[in-house]
Amino acid sequence: MKRAEAAKPVRRRHVLPLPVRMLAMLCAFVLMVGFAVVLAKITLEPSPASVSLVHSNLRPGRSIRAYLDQPDLRNTVKQIGGNILLGVPFGILVPVLAPGARGIWRVLLLTATVMLLVEMAQGALVTGRAFDVDDVILNTSGALLGHLLVGRRLGRVHDRRAHDGRAHDRRGSV
């Protein structure tokens, strides 16, 4: 009899009530839409004034080195810091919106994919913009930062816990 009881699957419950989880997801969705609008405005807006200055970069680190070597610290901070900040919302909001993408590698892969698509669109469709692999790297680094600082905790809105309070993996074992 004990063996049959031990084989029973552990019943799981959500730590937070459904209305709280739904509110968190709604807020995250609204923020992600707002972020998408800002991202599109910043990255896909034509920049005719810089057409002659724009060159595609397929070598990781080339643009970053160029920014670090220039004498204008303000522009360096704007370019590098701005690209890092553009990725931060992904690291924070993806774990809330997509419970299946809560792991650090999944967040980074999703961010890198989205930012790669944005850079490709920028390079192919927007005058005065070009593809830059360093932008993808910096955006993904920002997502890592956002995920480590805030996203992991916010993603726990979807955690499931056993009745005894111990965390279980997907198979139900401790």
Side-chain angles (χ1 to χ4, degrees), residues 4-142:
E5 288 176 15
K8 280 185 181 178
V10 176
R11 186 170 175 210
R12 296 178 182 194
R13 64 178 174 83
H14 287 281
V15 174
L16 296 174
L18 181 63
V20 173
R21 288 193 328 267
M22 295 304 291
L23 180 62
M25 289 183 72
L26 178 64
C27 290
F29 179 75
V30 168
L31 289 171
M32 189 61 97
V33 169
F35 169 69
V37 170
V38 170
L39 179 67
K41 177 91 172 127
I42 291 171
T43 61
L44 299 177
E45 187 173 89
S47 179
S50 61
V51 171
S52 62
L53 304 172
V54 176
H55 304 287
S56 291
N57 173 33
L58 300 176
R59 287 188 32 212
R62 178 190 270 174
S63 295
I64 295 171
R65 267 190 300 284
Y67 289 129
L68 292 173
D69 289 342
Q70 70 180 353
D72 185 6
L73 179 63
R74 181 184 221 169
N75 193 41
T76 300
V77 170
K78 180 181 171 186
Q79 292 297 325
I80 293 175
N83 276 305
I84 290 172
L85 285 175
L86 275 177
V88 170
F90 269 86
I92 295 172
L93 298 173
V94 164
V96 177
L97 287 173
R102 282 184 14 206
I104 195 165
W105 294 112
R106 290 178 179 164
V107 169
L108 294 179
L109 181 62
L110 181 61
T111 302
T113 301
V114 168
M115 295 307 179
L116 184 64
L117 291 171
V118 168
E119 285 294 316
M120 290 170 63
Q122 219 176 259
L125 304 173
V126 183
T127 303
R129 300 283 186 171
F131 178 87
D132 190 343
V133 71
D134 286 341
D135 287 354
V136 176
I137 292 168
L138 292 169
N139 295 151
T140 304
S141 298

